[in-house]
Amino acid sequence: MKVLLFADPGIDDSLAIIYALLHPELELMGIVTGYGNVSVYDATRNASFLLALAGRSDIPVIRGSSQPLSGIPTTFYPEIHGPQGLGPIIPPEDFQADVSSFETMFEVIENNIEELVIVDVGRQTSLAFAFNLRPELMDQVKEVYLMGGAFMVPGNVTDVAEANFWGDPIATSVILNKAKKVYITPLNVTNRAIITRDIATFIFTQTSSPYKYLIPAVTNYYATFYDQVMPGIDGSPVHDVFTLYYLLNKDKTYTIQRDVRVAVVDVNRGQSIADLRMVYKKPERKHYIAMDFDYNDFIDDFTRVNLRDASQ
Ligand code: RIB
Ligand code: CA
């Protein structure tokens, strides 16, 4: 399956990029970077660095948005994702990121429109720009996957809001209103997609992939943060990897269809809202929310994919 990935690497974004590169059924067509976990500058360098590690600089890295549509100053998260977004790893100072223009994104979409799906695991500003700039092209995109929101569980940035939806709720609303079909993987599932330190160590001992050292280094860094906020989990949820897993394994997950909206301002900014009552109106839009999944299958899949080497 051909995937155009929007991301803000970021630890779990990096693991998602690695997963997409190593997965035999995924063809990564490009990465559109954006601000979020780190600045767009660091996110772009990190994406380019990850591709270079596996000799895959042929995949375009497209530099996207630097701030939300509202213009409200944004916050980065070095305490969670490391000073430059790859946990303890800093790309060499003389590393030159290979960056493509925003127009390249439209070329990728146009040239692959029949098979392409879009997956956005960061703040959704760049994707909203795409819907604004080329509506007739974006109308043809069959499926969009968003990591974001929190249904029936607390948020992670505020008591009600998840980071990606909170980061640019205007952009998220644009996508929910404009995209033909949207699949959402919110915190209620991704918080449970936990990679333990033992799994990361197991991958390290068994793989010869170019990411052998990086996987335990970034996972353990992320886990140190999660030790404080989710004591006892001994690992870290890999929200963004789960979104790619979900794309290929919807038949093994529990998904519901509801109209979803996002609060744009005030104390509930970024809150994802859907009518989850037993009796509800027939949805008007094609919005699908992941509600449950088979944890063991996810872990088996994550491990299997990460034990492949980049040339397979
Ligand atoms: O809330 C989880 C999301 O926020 C993930 O995409 C993670 O990378 C962080 O940005
Ligand atoms: Ca992310």
Side-chain angles (χ1 to χ4, degrees):
M1 188 172 297
K2 292 185 174 182
V3 171
L4 177 62
L5 183 67
F6 288 65
D8 56 334
I11 289 178
D12 56 329
D13 303 75
S14 301
L15 292 170
I17 291 169
I18 295 169
Y19 179 90
L21 285 172
L22 298 179
H23 202 297
E25 289 165 47
L26 292 176
E27 193 179 348
L28 187 58
M29 304 305 292
I31 304 172
V32 184
T33 57
Y35 73 92
N37 294 321
V38 290
S39 68
V40 67
Y41 173 80
D42 283 332
T44 307
R45 267 176 75 73
N46 292 342
S48 187
F49 178 65
L50 291 168
L51 294 178
L53 282 181
R56 292 304 314 271
S57 303
D58 56 301
I59 298 172
V61 173
I62 296 140
R63 185 185 158 126
S65 305
S66 62
Q67 57 174 313
L69 295 173
S70 64
I72 295 172
T74 194
T75 314
F76 303 132
Y77 297 91
E79 70 282 13
I80 304 176
H81 292 270
Q84 291 181 24
L86 292 180
I89 296 167
I90 311 282
E93 227 170 273
D94 60 355
F95 173 74
Q96 297 285 333
D98 196 354
V99 186
S100 300
S101 70
F102 204 60
E103 192 52 34
T104 308
M105 174 185 76
F106 291 121
E107 283 164 21
V108 171
I109 297 172
E110 206 151 23
N111 294 338
N112 299 282
I113 193 71
E114 286 305 322
E115 309 132 279
L116 190 79
V117 298
I118 289 183
V119 178
D120 195 328
V121 295
R123 307 332 184 229
Q124 286 126 21
T125 318
S126 307
L127 185 54
F129 270 122
F131 276 96
N132 184 309
L133 292 169
R134 295 284 302 275
E136 74 301 330
L137 174 64
M138 298 307 288
D139 270 357
Q140 298 173 57
V141 173
K142 293 193 172 68
E143 293 180 351
V144 171
Y145 291 75
L146 300 180
M147 190 283 125
F151 295 90
M152 301 173 74
V153 296
N156 56 3
V157 162
T158 71
D159 51 353
V160 296
E162 178 281 332
N164 289 338
F165 279 19
W166 180 86
D168 191 345
I170 301 175
T172 305
S173 299
V174 167
I175 295 158
L176 290 172
N177 287 329
K178 303 279 182 200
K180 224 183 207 169
K181 205 177 205 185
V182 184
Y183 289 94
I184 300 172
T185 49
L187 291 181
N188 39 287
V189 280
T190 66
N191 266 343
R192 291 185 281 131
I194 293 162
I195 299 304
T196 61
R197 289 177 167 94
D198 284 352
I199 293 167
T201 305
F202 177 74
I203 291 169
F204 170 75
T205 59
Q206 302 296 314
T207 186
S208 55
S209 101
Y211 303 112
K212 178 179 174 76
Y213 293 95
L214 191 138
I215 288 172
V218 299
T219 309
N220 292 343
Y221 194 97
Y222 211 28
T224 308
F225 167 75
Y226 276 102
D227 284 340
Q228 299 156 44
V229 292
M230 293 167 75
I233 69 166
D234 189 32
S236 41
V238 287
H239 310 278
D240 298 347
V241 179
F242 181 82
T243 307
L244 289 172
Y245 164 83
Y246 177 72
L247 157 72
L248 294 169
N249 294 282
K250 287 202 288 294
D251 54 328
K252 297 181 194 155
T253 61
Y254 174 54
T255 300
I256 59 173
Q257 183 182 1
R258 294 289 191 281
D259 292 328
V260 176
R261 58 193 202 281
V262 177
V264 168
V265 289
D266 293 335
V267 286
N268 60 340
R269 165 181 159 182
Q271 182 176 16
S272 47
I273 302 161
D275 190 345
L276 299 176
R277 291 172 295 182
M278 296 294 281
V279 178
Y280 62 94
K281 268 196 357 236
K282 195 172 175 314
E284 287 169 10
R285 296 214 168 99
K286 292 195 168 167
H287 294 164
Y288 299 90
I289 312 170
M291 296 300 285
D292 205 359
F293 69 105
D294 178 344
Y295 176 72
N296 291 332
D297 188 72
F298 170 71
I299 292 302
D300 285 352
D301 175 82
F302 178 86
T303 309
R304 226 179 10 251
V305 170
N306 279 290
L307 290 182
R308 293 171 60 84
D309 78 47
S311 61
Q312 280 175 314

